[in-house]
Amino acid sequence: MAKFRHSENRTPWFSITARELIEYSGNDYPICDDCMSSLLECGDIVLIPVLNEAFCPKCGQIKLAQLGRYPEDAAVEQRRTEMFLDYFRNAQKGRRT
């Protein structure tokens, strides 16, 4: 089940499973957007809405620690975060939007 979180600098992110990423993306073989390793065996994938990217746990934590927050990105971050919140809320109810 997707878990909504915030990094130390308040960047919103989600901890999701490979199944959740596959159902969202339609990609049966997702890979880390940094190291390019398969995400199929990852327990907790890091999905960062502002980047619209998914990472293995190791790369995700590194990316979250390095990620700066910029006022000009706030609208994109908010819009994408809300979209993913709605998607995962509806997916948990058993329907896709």
Side-chain angles (χ1 to χ4, degrees):
M1 178 162 83
K3 296 177 187 117
F4 181 59
R5 303 174 186 258
H6 286 90
S7 67
E8 286 188 26
N9 74 355
R10 302 299 299 153
T11 299
W13 64 283
F14 291 86
S15 175
I16 64 173
T17 65
R19 175 62 39 210
E20 288 168 321
L21 182 58
I22 290 167
E23 288 173 358
Y24 169 74
S25 68
N27 177 0
D28 291 335
Y29 302 100
I31 59 172
C32 174
D33 283 313
D34 193 45
C35 71
M36 309 298 266
S37 64
S38 173
L39 295 177
L40 291 177
E41 302 301 320
C42 288
D44 292 311
I45 295 168
V46 176
L47 174 67
I48 304 175
V50 71
L51 301 178
N52 200 30
E53 294 181 339
F55 303 94
C56 67
K58 179 182 175 186
C59 292
Q61 293 308 312
I62 292 168
K63 184 66 72 175
L64 286 167
Q66 295 173 342
L67 199 59
R69 298 191 74 205
Y70 303 96
E72 56 270 22
D73 293 336
V76 170
E77 178 181 89
Q78 180 66 30
R79 195 169 48 248
R80 287 186 184 160
T81 300
E82 288 298 324
M83 186 275 304
F84 280 112
L85 283 168
D86 289 343
Y87 173 80
F88 289 123
R89 223 178 273 125
N90 289 328
Q92 289 172 4
K93 293 178 185 175
R95 60 180 191 263
R96 290 181 70 174
T97 57

Short mmCIF file of all heavy atoms in Angstrom, two decimals, residues 11-54:
data_model
loop_
_atom_site.label_atom_id
_atom_site.label_comp_id
_atom_site.label_asym_id
_atom_site.label_seq_id
_atom_site.Cartn_x
_atom_site.Cartn_y
_atom_site.Cartn_z
N THR A 11 10.12 17.71 1.10
CA THR A 11 9.76 17.26 -0.24
C THR A 11 8.81 16.07 -0.11
O THR A 11 9.15 15.09 0.55
CB THR A 11 11.00 16.83 -1.04
OG1 THR A 11 11.87 17.94 -1.18
CG2 THR A 11 10.62 16.30 -2.41
N PRO A 12 7.62 16.14 -0.73
CA PRO A 12 6.70 15.01 -0.66
C PRO A 12 7.19 13.85 -1.53
O PRO A 12 7.74 14.07 -2.61
CB PRO A 12 5.38 15.58 -1.18
CG PRO A 12 5.72 16.81 -1.91
CD PRO A 12 7.05 17.28 -1.43
N TRP A 13 7.00 12.62 -1.03
CA TRP A 13 7.35 11.43 -1.79
C TRP A 13 6.48 10.28 -1.32
O TRP A 13 5.80 10.36 -0.30
CB TRP A 13 8.83 11.11 -1.68
CG TRP A 13 9.35 10.75 -0.33
CD1 TRP A 13 9.62 11.61 0.70
CD2 TRP A 13 9.65 9.44 0.15
NE1 TRP A 13 10.10 10.92 1.78
CE2 TRP A 13 10.12 9.59 1.47
CE3 TRP A 13 9.59 8.17 -0.39
CZ2 TRP A 13 10.52 8.49 2.25
CZ3 TRP A 13 9.99 7.09 0.37
CH2 TRP A 13 10.45 7.25 1.67
N PHE A 14 6.49 9.21 -2.11
CA PHE A 14 5.71 8.02 -1.79
C PHE A 14 6.62 6.81 -1.71
O PHE A 14 7.55 6.68 -2.50
CB PHE A 14 4.66 7.75 -2.88
CG PHE A 14 3.56 8.76 -2.94
CD1 PHE A 14 3.72 9.92 -3.68
CD2 PHE A 14 2.37 8.56 -2.27
CE1 PHE A 14 2.72 10.87 -3.75
CE2 PHE A 14 1.37 9.50 -2.34
CZ PHE A 14 1.52 10.65 -3.07
N SER A 15 6.32 5.94 -0.78
CA SER A 15 6.93 4.62 -0.71
C SER A 15 5.90 3.67 -1.30
O SER A 15 4.78 3.55 -0.77
CB SER A 15 7.24 4.26 0.74
OG SER A 15 7.72 2.94 0.82
N ILE A 16 6.25 3.02 -2.43
CA ILE A 16 5.29 2.16 -3.13
C ILE A 16 5.93 0.80 -3.44
O ILE A 16 7.15 0.65 -3.37
CB ILE A 16 4.76 2.81 -4.42
CG1 ILE A 16 5.89 3.03 -5.44
CG2 ILE A 16 4.04 4.12 -4.12
CD1 ILE A 16 5.42 3.51 -6.80
N THR A 17 5.10 -0.14 -3.81
CA THR A 17 5.58 -1.46 -4.22
C THR A 17 5.77 -1.50 -5.73
O THR A 17 5.24 -0.64 -6.46
CB THR A 17 4.57 -2.55 -3.82
OG1 THR A 17 3.37 -2.35 -4.57
CG2 THR A 17 4.28 -2.54 -2.32
N ALA A 18 6.46 -2.52 -6.18
CA ALA A 18 6.63 -2.71 -7.63
C ALA A 18 5.27 -2.90 -8.29
O ALA A 18 5.01 -2.37 -9.37
CB ALA A 18 7.54 -3.90 -7.91
N ARG A 19 4.38 -3.65 -7.65
CA ARG A 19 3.04 -3.88 -8.21
C ARG A 19 2.30 -2.56 -8.39
O ARG A 19 1.67 -2.34 -9.42
CB ARG A 19 2.25 -4.83 -7.30
CG ARG A 19 0.81 -5.06 -7.68
CD ARG A 19 0.53 -5.70 -9.03
NE ARG A 19 1.43 -6.75 -9.40
CZ ARG A 19 1.75 -7.04 -10.68
NH1 ARG A 19 1.24 -6.37 -11.67
NH2 ARG A 19 2.58 -8.01 -10.95
N GLU A 20 2.38 -1.67 -7.42
CA GLU A 20 1.71 -0.37 -7.53
C GLU A 20 2.29 0.46 -8.68
O GLU A 20 1.55 1.10 -9.43
CB GLU A 20 1.82 0.41 -6.22
CG GLU A 20 0.95 -0.17 -5.13
CD GLU A 20 1.23 0.39 -3.76
OE1 GLU A 20 2.42 0.62 -3.42
OE2 GLU A 20 0.26 0.59 -3.01
N LEU A 21 3.61 0.41 -8.85
CA LEU A 21 4.24 1.14 -9.95
C LEU A 21 3.83 0.55 -11.29
O LEU A 21 3.51 1.28 -12.23
CB LEU A 21 5.76 1.13 -9.80
CG LEU A 21 6.54 1.90 -10.86
CD1 LEU A 21 6.11 3.37 -10.91
CD2 LEU A 21 8.04 1.79 -10.60
N ILE A 22 3.79 -0.77 -11.38
CA ILE A 22 3.38 -1.43 -12.62
C ILE A 22 1.94 -1.09 -12.96
O ILE A 22 1.62 -0.77 -14.12
CB ILE A 22 3.58 -2.96 -12.50
CG1 ILE A 22 5.08 -3.28 -12.48
CG2 ILE A 22 2.86 -3.70 -13.63
CD1 ILE A 22 5.39 -4.71 -12.06
N GLU A 23 1.05 -1.14 -11.97
CA GLU A 23 -0.36 -0.82 -12.22
C GLU A 23 -0.53 0.62 -12.65
O GLU A 23 -1.35 0.92 -13.52
CB GLU A 23 -1.19 -1.13 -10.99
CG GLU A 23 -1.35 -2.61 -10.74
CD GLU A 23 -2.03 -2.95 -9.43
OE1 GLU A 23 -2.37 -2.02 -8.66
OE2 GLU A 23 -2.21 -4.15 -9.16
N TYR A 24 0.24 1.52 -12.06
CA TYR A 24 0.14 2.93 -12.44
C TYR A 24 0.70 3.18 -13.84
O TYR A 24 0.07 3.81 -14.68
CB TYR A 24 0.86 3.83 -11.43
CG TYR A 24 0.99 5.24 -11.95
CD1 TYR A 24 -0.11 6.08 -12.00
CD2 TYR A 24 2.20 5.70 -12.48
CE1 TYR A 24 -0.01 7.36 -12.53
CE2 TYR A 24 2.30 6.96 -13.01
CZ TYR A 24 1.19 7.79 -13.04
OH TYR A 24 1.29 9.04 -13.57
N SER A 25 1.90 2.66 -14.09
CA SER A 25 2.63 3.01 -15.31
C SER A 25 2.28 2.13 -16.51
O SER A 25 2.48 2.54 -17.65
CB SER A 25 4.14 2.93 -15.07
OG SER A 25 4.54 1.59 -14.86
N GLY A 26 1.82 0.92 -16.25
CA GLY A 26 1.59 -0.02 -17.35
C GLY A 26 2.88 -0.66 -17.85
O GLY A 26 2.87 -1.41 -18.81
N ASN A 27 3.99 -0.36 -17.18
CA ASN A 27 5.30 -0.92 -17.54
C ASN A 27 5.55 -2.14 -16.67
O ASN A 27 5.72 -2.01 -15.45
CB ASN A 27 6.38 0.14 -17.34
CG ASN A 27 7.77 -0.36 -17.62
OD1 ASN A 27 7.98 -1.51 -17.97
ND2 ASN A 27 8.75 0.51 -17.44
N ASP A 28 5.61 -3.32 -17.28
CA ASP A 28 5.81 -4.55 -16.53
C ASP A 28 7.23 -4.76 -16.01
O ASP A 28 7.47 -5.67 -15.23
CB ASP A 28 5.41 -5.76 -17.39
CG ASP A 28 3.92 -5.82 -17.63
OD1 ASP A 28 3.14 -5.29 -16.81
OD2 ASP A 28 3.52 -6.40 -18.67
N TYR A 29 8.17 -3.95 -16.47
CA TYR A 29 9.57 -4.11 -16.08
C TYR A 29 10.17 -2.76 -15.69
O TYR A 29 11.08 -2.26 -16.35
CB TYR A 29 10.37 -4.75 -17.22
CG TYR A 29 9.82 -6.09 -17.61
CD1 TYR A 29 9.01 -6.22 -18.74
CD2 TYR A 29 10.06 -7.22 -16.84
CE1 TYR A 29 8.47 -7.44 -19.09
CE2 TYR A 29 9.51 -8.45 -17.18
CZ TYR A 29 8.72 -8.55 -18.31
OH TYR A 29 8.18 -9.76 -18.64
N PRO A 30 9.69 -2.16 -14.60
CA PRO A 30 10.19 -0.83 -14.22
C PRO A 30 11.64 -0.89 -13.75
O PRO A 30 12.08 -1.88 -13.17
CB PRO A 30 9.26 -0.40 -13.09
CG PRO A 30 8.80 -1.70 -12.49
CD PRO A 30 8.71 -2.66 -13.64
N ILE A 31 12.36 0.20 -14.02
CA ILE A 31 13.75 0.32 -13.59
C ILE A 31 13.93 1.62 -12.81
O ILE A 31 13.15 2.56 -12.95
CB ILE A 31 14.73 0.27 -14.77
CG1 ILE A 31 14.44 1.40 -15.76
CG2 ILE A 31 14.70 -1.10 -15.46
CD1 ILE A 31 15.47 1.55 -16.86
N CYS A 32 14.97 1.64 -12.01
CA CYS A 32 15.32 2.83 -11.23
C CYS A 32 15.72 3.95 -12.20
O CYS A 32 16.51 3.73 -13.13
CB CYS A 32 16.47 2.51 -10.29
SG CYS A 32 17.12 3.93 -9.38
N ASP A 33 15.18 5.13 -11.99
CA ASP A 33 15.49 6.26 -12.86
C ASP A 33 16.89 6.82 -12.62
O ASP A 33 17.28 7.77 -13.29
CB ASP A 33 14.44 7.36 -12.70
CG ASP A 33 13.15 7.04 -13.43
OD1 ASP A 33 13.22 6.61 -14.60
OD2 ASP A 33 12.07 7.20 -12.83
N ASP A 34 17.66 6.22 -11.72
CA ASP A 34 19.04 6.66 -11.51
C ASP A 34 20.02 5.57 -11.92
O ASP A 34 20.74 5.72 -12.89
CB ASP A 34 19.26 7.08 -10.06
CG ASP A 34 20.56 7.82 -9.86
OD1 ASP A 34 20.87 8.71 -10.67
OD2 ASP A 34 21.28 7.50 -8.90
N CYS A 35 19.99 4.44 -11.24
CA CYS A 35 20.99 3.39 -11.50
C CYS A 35 20.54 2.39 -12.56
O CYS A 35 21.31 1.52 -12.95
CB CYS A 35 21.35 2.67 -10.21
SG CYS A 35 20.05 1.60 -9.55
N MET A 36 19.31 2.49 -13.00
CA MET A 36 18.75 1.65 -14.06
C MET A 36 18.59 0.18 -13.66
O MET A 36 18.39 -0.67 -14.50
CB MET A 36 19.59 1.74 -15.33
CG MET A 36 19.85 3.16 -15.79
SD MET A 36 18.34 4.03 -16.20
CE MET A 36 18.27 3.70 -17.93
N SER A 37 18.65 -0.14 -12.37
CA SER A 37 18.43 -1.52 -11.94
C SER A 37 16.94 -1.81 -11.90
O SER A 37 16.11 -0.90 -11.79
CB SER A 37 19.07 -1.75 -10.57
OG SER A 37 18.44 -0.96 -9.58
N SER A 38 16.60 -3.08 -11.97
CA SER A 38 15.20 -3.49 -11.94
C SER A 38 14.56 -3.13 -10.60
O SER A 38 15.18 -3.28 -9.55
CB SER A 38 15.09 -5.00 -12.16
OG SER A 38 13.76 -5.42 -11.97
N LEU A 39 13.32 -2.68 -10.66
CA LEU A 39 12.58 -2.37 -9.43
C LEU A 39 11.63 -3.51 -9.04
O LEU A 39 10.93 -3.40 -8.04
CB LEU A 39 11.78 -1.07 -9.61
CG LEU A 39 12.61 0.19 -9.81
CD1 LEU A 39 11.71 1.40 -10.05
CD2 LEU A 39 13.53 0.44 -8.63
N LEU A 40 11.65 -4.59 -9.81
CA LEU A 40 10.72 -5.70 -9.54
C LEU A 40 10.92 -6.34 -8.18
O LEU A 40 9.96 -6.78 -7.57
CB LEU A 40 10.83 -6.76 -10.64
CG LEU A 40 10.31 -6.34 -12.00
CD1 LEU A 40 10.55 -7.45 -13.02
CD2 LEU A 40 8.83 -5.97 -11.94
N GLU A 41 12.14 -6.40 -7.70
CA GLU A 41 12.42 -7.05 -6.42
C GLU A 41 12.56 -6.07 -5.26
O GLU A 41 12.88 -6.47 -4.15
CB GLU A 41 13.69 -7.90 -6.54
CG GLU A 41 13.62 -8.97 -7.61
CD GLU A 41 12.48 -9.96 -7.38
OE1 GLU A 41 12.23 -10.34 -6.22
OE2 GLU A 41 11.83 -10.35 -8.37
N CYS A 42 12.34 -4.79 -5.52
CA CYS A 42 12.48 -3.78 -4.46
C CYS A 42 11.28 -3.83 -3.52
O CYS A 42 10.14 -3.92 -3.97
CB CYS A 42 12.59 -2.38 -5.06
SG CYS A 42 14.15 -2.07 -5.87
N GLY A 43 11.56 -3.74 -2.24
CA GLY A 43 10.48 -3.72 -1.27
C GLY A 43 9.79 -2.37 -1.21
O GLY A 43 8.56 -2.29 -1.22
N ASP A 44 10.55 -1.31 -1.19
CA ASP A 44 9.99 0.03 -1.08
C ASP A 44 10.60 0.93 -2.15
O ASP A 44 11.73 1.39 -2.01
CB ASP A 44 10.27 0.64 0.30
CG ASP A 44 9.51 -0.08 1.39
OD1 ASP A 44 8.30 -0.28 1.23
OD2 ASP A 44 10.13 -0.43 2.41
N ILE A 45 9.84 1.19 -3.17
CA ILE A 45 10.27 2.07 -4.25
C ILE A 45 9.98 3.50 -3.83
O ILE A 45 8.95 3.79 -3.23
CB ILE A 45 9.53 1.72 -5.55
CG1 ILE A 45 9.93 0.31 -6.00
CG2 ILE A 45 9.78 2.75 -6.64
CD1 ILE A 45 9.07 -0.27 -7.09
N VAL A 46 10.89 4.41 -4.14
CA VAL A 46 10.74 5.83 -3.82
C VAL A 46 10.21 6.54 -5.06
O VAL A 46 10.90 6.61 -6.08
CB VAL A 46 12.08 6.44 -3.36
CG1 VAL A 46 11.94 7.93 -3.12
CG2 VAL A 46 12.57 5.73 -2.10
N LEU A 47 9.00 7.06 -4.97
CA LEU A 47 8.37 7.82 -6.06
C LEU A 47 8.35 9.29 -5.65
O LEU A 47 7.75 9.63 -4.63
CB LEU A 47 6.96 7.31 -6.31
CG LEU A 47 6.13 8.09 -7.32
CD1 LEU A 47 6.70 7.95 -8.72
CD2 LEU A 47 4.69 7.61 -7.29
N ILE A 48 9.01 10.13 -6.43
CA ILE A 48 9.11 11.56 -6.11
C ILE A 48 8.27 12.34 -7.13
O ILE A 48 8.68 12.48 -8.28
CB ILE A 48 10.57 12.04 -6.12
CG1 ILE A 48 11.42 11.19 -5.14
CG2 ILE A 48 10.64 13.52 -5.75
CD1 ILE A 48 12.90 11.50 -5.15
N PRO A 49 7.10 12.83 -6.71
CA PRO A 49 6.19 13.49 -7.65
C PRO A 49 6.79 14.67 -8.41
O PRO A 49 6.57 14.79 -9.62
CB PRO A 49 5.02 13.95 -6.77
CG PRO A 49 5.02 12.99 -5.64
CD PRO A 49 6.48 12.69 -5.39
N VAL A 50 7.53 15.54 -7.74
CA VAL A 50 8.05 16.73 -8.42
C VAL A 50 8.97 16.33 -9.58
O VAL A 50 9.04 17.04 -10.59
CB VAL A 50 8.74 17.71 -7.45
CG1 VAL A 50 10.06 17.17 -6.95
CG2 VAL A 50 8.91 19.09 -8.09
N LEU A 51 9.66 15.20 -9.47
CA LEU A 51 10.52 14.72 -10.54
C LEU A 51 9.77 13.79 -11.50
O LEU A 51 10.24 13.55 -12.60
CB LEU A 51 11.73 13.97 -9.96
CG LEU A 51 12.64 14.74 -9.01
CD1 LEU A 51 13.74 13.83 -8.49
CD2 LEU A 51 13.22 15.96 -9.72
N ASN A 52 8.64 13.24 -11.03
CA ASN A 52 7.88 12.24 -11.77
C ASN A 52 8.79 11.05 -12.10
O ASN A 52 8.79 10.54 -13.22
CB ASN A 52 7.27 12.82 -13.04
CG ASN A 52 6.11 11.99 -13.54
OD1 ASN A 52 5.42 11.35 -12.77
ND2 ASN A 52 5.92 11.99 -14.85
N GLU A 53 9.55 10.62 -11.09
CA GLU A 53 10.50 9.53 -11.25
C GLU A 53 10.41 8.57 -10.07
O GLU A 53 10.03 8.97 -8.96
CB GLU A 53 11.94 10.07 -11.37
CG GLU A 53 12.17 10.87 -12.63
CD GLU A 53 13.59 11.39 -12.75
OE1 GLU A 53 14.30 11.48 -11.73
OE2 GLU A 53 13.99 11.70 -13.88
N ALA A 54 10.81 7.31 -10.33
CA ALA A 54 10.82 6.27 -9.31
C ALA A 54 12.23 5.73 -9.17
O ALA A 54 12.96 5.57 -10.16
CB ALA A 54 9.86 5.15 -9.69
#
